[in-house]
């Protein structure tokens, strides 16, 4: 790709066996895989367009783990979005596009939020392009007209890194953010230079006479990848490995003199994602995986048939889970009803469960956090042995210490409720069962005499919901006693019932939903105070 150079990011994730149906509108569910595909952990982001002049670019996100392909720019009021790049945690992208200002601006977008992209350069009338995050995620570097600029994301203050009339473009930070590598000049006069962020000194790294050197992407402390022309008489692009110390670059083994190979982005030590016009491509440029050692190459259509199209697919990039980040693989066994395991977990332990179809919606909010950048869970309960139950039908994980008793935990028992954040018709027939994990809720201890659980309260059963709080999973256990005056928070349509006032039940005006329920037993079981907070 000579006319416009893009550098999007990828976030990559381990392929999980089985298929899933996404709940998110705009996702395609077709997944196409081959047994010899390299297995990655994360997501791919790229753009495609008919041509640069057509101004019809779209941004796409592909999840290697679960298979969906989404056009993430489909609802934005931004024209020609392209050249996206991921933050170090993989949560946010920055990209260039034309918004309300009718000029090229830099935008940021939270991939896991609900808001529209934020225009970071809306106050500028200059042309801004090619943004890249710093290694610590606190800054971005980008092209502003002919020069390079750096923005502090917390203050939005901008520092110019270059001046004068020379053109500097396609910037990318080195491994520790002390230098920015970029292309200097244009076409066959271009070279690769490094700009010292602090001193603004510029040093030439590679300058092959008569060919274009451009699109540098850092690989490691010693090297980077870049595109350059085959020769002064043959202008097709080739991918090279360059070196920060300035020694001559090396042509990679997959290059061929009869097609363009460009826009490389490293996936790991062996694999790159590249754009190429090689034989067999569906459009002008298709996305490929290329091996830097063996030269083997395969289309990313092998992962999903929708990735490549009759348009030009460009600007791919990769976010990888770091190898030094510990993660446990917890395998569950199907017991005839659900997937189950009794496992030892440490507080703040990161882990994955291969049997889970869609981790982003399956996790238990009381005991887990979901890391969208890695697709893994982080355990937030106390260290110990825990029972884990996973139902693919509901795509939810129940967590409990099945033998726990007061004061370690309390239990919500009753009918018309579930720990799952969504109500299913099959829950209507459940109720008042001590042995079914779907129909009890483990209330974890959050302080002295205080316990908490997240539950869905329904109005679908005949009498609505009816819950009690017991000190253990036994009908003979002691239970909390309430009064209407001690029901706090979002309690519209709730009341206390029963001769002993132990039941909390549905009343007129109740709206079903997911609630964070906290019970305070500081004044004793007979004066229990409970707070309901509706979770949006």
């Amino acid at each position: 790709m000579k006319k416009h150079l893009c550098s999007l990011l990828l976030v990559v994730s381990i392929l999980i066996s089985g298929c899933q149906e996404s709940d998110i509108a705009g996702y395609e569910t077709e997944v196409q895989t081959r047994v010899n595909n390299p297995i990655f952990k994360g997501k791919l982001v790229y753009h495609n367009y008919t041509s640069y002049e057509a101004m019809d670019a779209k941004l796409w996100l592909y999840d290697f783990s679960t298979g969906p392909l989404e056009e993430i720019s489909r609802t934005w009021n931004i024209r020609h979005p392209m050249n996206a790049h991921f933050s170090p945690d993989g949560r946010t992208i920055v990209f260039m596009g034309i918004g309300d200002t009718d000029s090229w601006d830099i935008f940021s977008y939270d991939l896991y939020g609900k808001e529209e992209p934020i225009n970071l350069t809306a106050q500028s009338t200059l042309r801004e392009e090619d943004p890249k995050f710093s290694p610590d995620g606190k800054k971005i570097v980008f092209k502003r007209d002919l020069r390079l600029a750096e923005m502090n994301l917390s203050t939005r203050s901008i520092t110019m890194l270059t001046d004068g009339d020379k053109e500097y473009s396609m910037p990318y930070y080195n491994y520790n953010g002390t230098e920015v590598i970029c292309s200097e000049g244009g076409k066959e006069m271009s070279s690769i230079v490094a700009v010292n962020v602090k001193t603004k000194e510029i040093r030439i790294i590679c300058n092959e006479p008569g060919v274009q050197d451009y699109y540098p992407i850092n690989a490691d402390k010693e090297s980077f990848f870049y595109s350059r022309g085959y020769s002064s008489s043959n202008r097709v692009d080739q991918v090279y490995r360059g070196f920060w110390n300035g020694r001559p670059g090396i042509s990679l083994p997959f290059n061929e003199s009869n097609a363009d190979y460009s826009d490389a982005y490293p996936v790991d030590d062996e694999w790159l994602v590249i754009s190429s016009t090689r034989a067999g491509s569906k459009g002008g440029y298709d996305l490929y995986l290329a091996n830097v050692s063996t030269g083997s190459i395969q289309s990313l259509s092998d992962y999903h048939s929708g990735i490549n199209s009759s348009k030009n697919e460009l600007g791919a990039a990769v976010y990888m889970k770091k190898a030094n980040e510990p993660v446990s693989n917890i395998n569950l066994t199907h017991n005839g009803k659900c997937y189950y395991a009794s496992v030892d977990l440490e507080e703040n332990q990161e882990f994955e469960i291969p049997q889970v179809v869609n981790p982003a919606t399956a996790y238990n909010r009381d005991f887990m956090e979901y890391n969208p950048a890695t697709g893994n869970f982080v355990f937030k309960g106390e260290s110990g042995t825990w029972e884990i139950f996973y139902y693919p039908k509901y795509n939810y994980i129940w967590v409990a210490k099945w033998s726990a008793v007061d004061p370690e935990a309390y239990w919500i028992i009753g009918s018309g409720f579930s720990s799952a954040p969504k109500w299913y018709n099959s829950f209507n027939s459940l109720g008042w069962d001590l042995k079914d994990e779907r129909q009890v809720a483990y209330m974890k201890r959050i302080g002295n005499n205080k316990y908490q659980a997240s539950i869905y309260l329904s109005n679908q059963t005949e009498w609505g919901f009816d819950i009690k709080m017991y000190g253990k999973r036994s009908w003979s256990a002691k239970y909390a006693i309430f009064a209407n005056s001690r029901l706090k928070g979002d309690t519209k349509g709730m009341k206390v019932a029963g001769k002993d006032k132990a039941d909390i039940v549905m009343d007129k005006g109740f709206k079903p939903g997911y609630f964070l329920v906290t019970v305070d037993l500081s004044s004793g079981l007979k004066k229990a105070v409970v707070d309901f907070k509706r979770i949006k």
Side-chain angles (χ1 to χ4, degrees), residues 390-432:
Y390 171 64
Y391 284 80
K393 178 178 180 180
Y394 313 123
N395 195 41
Y396 186 73
I397 300 168
W398 278 261
V399 178
K401 284 187 177 179
W402 212 229
S403 59
V405 300
D406 174 28
E408 183 178 18
Y410 259 74
W411 296 85
I412 297 177
I413 300 173
S415 64
F417 84 96
S418 175
S419 296
K422 180 180 178 181
W423 191 255
Y424 294 85
N425 289 335
S426 56
F427 292 160
N428 290 338
S429 60
L430 302 176
W432 299 101

Side-chain angles (χ1 to χ4, degrees), residues 150-272:
E150 185 178 57
M151 176 184 287
N152 183 315
L153 291 174
S154 63
T155 64
R156 303 276 181 93
S157 62
I158 293 176
T159 301
M160 300 306 297
L161 300 182
T162 63
D163 55 20
D165 296 329
K166 277 190 176 181
E167 181 178 7
Y168 296 91
S169 56
M170 294 156 280
Y172 202 97
Y173 285 97
N174 68 345
Y175 76 98
N176 62 6
T178 57
E179 285 188 304
V180 170
I181 196 170
C182 65
S183 178
E184 179 187 76
K187 297 186 178 179
E188 67 273 8
M189 300 301 294
S190 66
S191 57
I192 303 295
V193 301
V195 182
N196 187 293
V197 171
K198 186 175 182 180
T199 67
K200 314 299 188 296
E201 287 184 57
I202 299 174
R203 63 185 180 94
I204 296 176
I205 299 180
C206 63
N207 183 17
E208 184 69 19
V211 299
Q212 184 177 16
D213 301 307
Y214 71 103
Y215 204 78
I217 300 291
N218 185 61
D220 50 42
K221 293 180 180 180
E222 287 77 36
S223 66
F224 58 93
F225 297 103
Y226 69 104
S227 300
R228 56 162 282 187
Y230 182 81
S231 69
S232 58
S233 59
N234 184 350
R235 305 299 299 277
V236 298
D237 289 331
Q238 309 282 272
V239 175
Y240 272 64
R241 184 190 287 272
F243 299 93
W244 285 95
N245 63 10
R247 67 186 175 97
I250 299 172
S251 177
L252 297 183
F254 50 79
N255 289 319
E256 295 177 328
S257 61
N258 60 352
D260 284 309
Y261 294 81
S262 59
D263 292 13
Y265 201 99
V267 180
D268 57 22
D269 292 339
E270 287 295 307
W271 293 96
L272 301 174

